[in-house]
Amino acid sequence: MNVFINDIPLILKRSNEKVYRHHYDLVLDADDHFTSKDLVGDVLIKDADMMLIDRLVRLMEVKKLKKLNSLTLVTNKKKRLIDHLKDQFKIVKAAGGLVVKDEKILMIYRLGVWDLPKGKLNKKEGAKEGALREVEEECNISVELVEKLPKTWHSYAFKGKKILKKTSWYVMNCTDDSLMKPQAEEFIEEVRWMTPEEALEVLPKAYTSIAFIVRHYLQSLKSGKV
């Protein structure tokens, strides 16, 4: 489960999963005393429980943890903690696509941020169907599904409610972009084909969840899994 709270990755790992301490800037136990100021860089906390995850989510929502790159929690109750985390939010389902053509990736520019085409699912709409519809509507192109990408979950507030958006992602091939244009009604200013190098260059100006999806795809491409 790839969760992004206030655009910061929150990663849950089982106690029996391999964790390399040298990959982290700070390693804590759940009962260690710490404040928001201590959370700098990539942080690992062991033996996480429900009380800890509640505290951390509040910190991530309320405090501007600009120096925190990622937060990894190790627990022997991973499923229970995930269910507990979901219970704190209203779940909204969405879907989108990473569209490719001639080894280039389609990126969109919306509200000052580089993004991938995506949107909320309609009632009773499947993830694949919704992903195709959103991509074609937002970019005015024709596409076909290739394969699944990891799902992402990101939080935001809307009308006083805490929302956790679950987005299903797919790699797609573009079959026709002759009439490609940004969907102005969705505040999209630009639709642009980018080489992998160009896409990586703009990721600092993208949401962390979008950067995660693009990097995952490019890494899979490099290893021959796509």
Side-chain angles (χ1 to χ4, degrees):
M1 185 178 183
N2 305 294
V3 189
F4 299 83
I5 308 291
N6 246 346
D7 213 32
I8 300 172
L10 175 63
I11 303 153
L12 275 74
K13 289 181 175 287
R14 293 186 181 87
S15 300
N16 59 1
E17 290 183 63
K18 281 188 177 179
V19 174
Y20 300 97
R21 294 173 67 98
H22 64 279
H23 289 174
Y24 300 92
D25 300 293
L26 177 65
V27 178
L28 298 167
D29 289 314
D31 54 1
D32 286 342
H33 175 75
F34 64 89
T35 69
S36 59
K37 294 179 181 179
D38 298 313
L39 302 178
V40 176
D42 296 302
V43 177
L44 171 72
I45 304 181
K46 299 181 294 181
D47 300 321
D49 56 17
M50 292 181 188
M51 288 180 63
L52 177 68
I53 203 167
D54 287 347
R55 179 190 174 196
L56 291 168
V57 168
R58 282 196 299 272
L59 281 176
M60 295 169 80
E61 289 175 336
V62 175
K63 300 282 186 180
K64 292 185 178 180
L65 303 176
K66 294 181 179 179
K67 295 182 179 180
L68 178 62
N69 296 332
S70 70
L71 183 58
T72 300
L73 305 182
V74 177
T75 177
N76 58 6
K77 300 174 182 176
K78 182 177 176 181
K79 185 180 184 305
R80 190 180 299 179
L81 284 193
I82 288 173
D83 291 341
H84 179 71
L85 178 64
K86 290 180 183 178
D87 285 344
Q88 299 181 48
F89 298 86
K90 177 184 177 182
I91 306 296
V92 170
K93 294 182 180 180
L98 187 150
V99 186
V100 295
K101 180 184 178 183
D102 299 327
E103 299 182 355
K104 292 185 177 181
I105 296 170
L106 190 64
M107 302 288 292
I108 66 173
Y109 192 70
R110 170 168 34 203
L111 299 174
V113 181
W114 285 102
D115 204 346
L116 295 173
K118 65 183 184 305
K120 292 179 186 177
L121 299 180
N122 292 329
K123 204 169 185 180
K124 297 183 179 179
E125 184 177 39
K128 291 181 180 179
E129 180 187 358
L132 289 168
R133 175 185 56 76
E134 285 291 342
V135 169
E136 294 183 343
E137 287 179 356
E138 293 195 342
C139 305
N140 203 42
I141 60 175
S142 296
V143 293
E144 61 184 10
L145 288 177
V146 177
E147 64 178 15
K148 288 182 179 179
L149 286 165
K151 296 180 177 66
T152 59
W153 302 70
H154 78 270
S155 70
Y156 61 96
F158 182 70
K159 294 183 178 179
K161 292 184 178 179
K162 292 171 57 174
I163 309 295
L164 191 61
K165 183 184 283 186
K166 173 188 176 183
T167 305
S168 299
W169 292 101
Y170 301 88
V171 178
M172 301 179 183
N173 279 332
C174 179
T175 56
D176 184 4
D177 64 348
S178 58
L179 299 175
M180 185 171 77
K181 64 178 182 179
Q183 187 181 21
E185 309 92 275
E186 290 296 325
F187 309 104
I188 303 171
E189 300 170 48
E190 185 180 356
V191 181
R192 188 194 301 179
W193 289 110
M194 295 186 183
T195 64
E197 294 76 19
E198 290 169 335
L200 287 171
E201 280 183 17
V202 304
L203 290 188
K205 297 180 181 178
Y207 295 113
T208 309
S209 56
I210 298 300
F212 167 78
I213 290 296
V214 173
R215 288 196 175 101
H216 176 90
Y217 168 75
L218 292 176
Q219 187 60 42
S220 299
L221 203 62
K222 190 182 293 185
S223 62
K225 293 181 180 179
V226 176

